[in-house]
Amino acid sequence: MENRHIVHGWLVDPAAREALLALHPPRYEQVVAEHVTFKAGPEERAMPEVDHCLALGMSDDGLGVQALVVAIDGTTDRPDGSTWHITWSLAEGRRAKESNDVIAALGWQALAEPRHIPLIPGWWTWTSG
């Protein structure tokens, strides 16, 4: 049985996405690099009103999950206790939600230079099951 999930967050501005992909090439075949999640499920609290984030580092488990760690409103700490990030790329069989576990287990390596990323608030759906 398939389940539809609503996700609230910010989409990465398409022009900025292309420039970032050129600067930080995806390691795995499925390129994601499209959004920062605020919350999956019903929106119970208001999202911060931001129009950008700051790319600070990269986390990669070497097994198929690569994530770009970002700061929103000056912090990498997401309200749910995880880390703000953009899932960058995935190997076959890996899922974007695994980025949280990889960052928590392995931490992240600082980028040579932080990068400003324009964001567009929004919501989208994904299907599981």
Side-chain angles (χ1 to χ4, degrees), residues 10-52:
W10 302 270
L11 298 172
V12 174
D13 178 271
R17 180 181 187 268
E18 294 308 313
L20 284 165
L21 287 168
L23 284 172
H24 306 288
R27 183 167 180 196
Y28 305 105
E29 54 272 7
Q30 182 185 351
V31 179
V32 183
E34 62 190 10
H35 71 270
V36 178
T37 297
F38 173 68
K39 181 174 183 336
E43 189 173 358
E44 297 165 359
R45 60 183 176 265
M47 285 187 352
E49 291 187 27
V50 298
D51 61 1
H52 72 280

Side-chain angles (χ1 to χ4, degrees), residues 1 7 17-19 23 33 35 65 73 82 88 92 100 106 119:
M1 172 179 258
V7 179
R17 180 181 187 268
E18 294 308 313
L23 284 172
H35 71 270
V65 176
D73 278 345
S82 61
W88 209 241
E92 186 175 337
N100 290 312
L106 303 176
L119 297 174

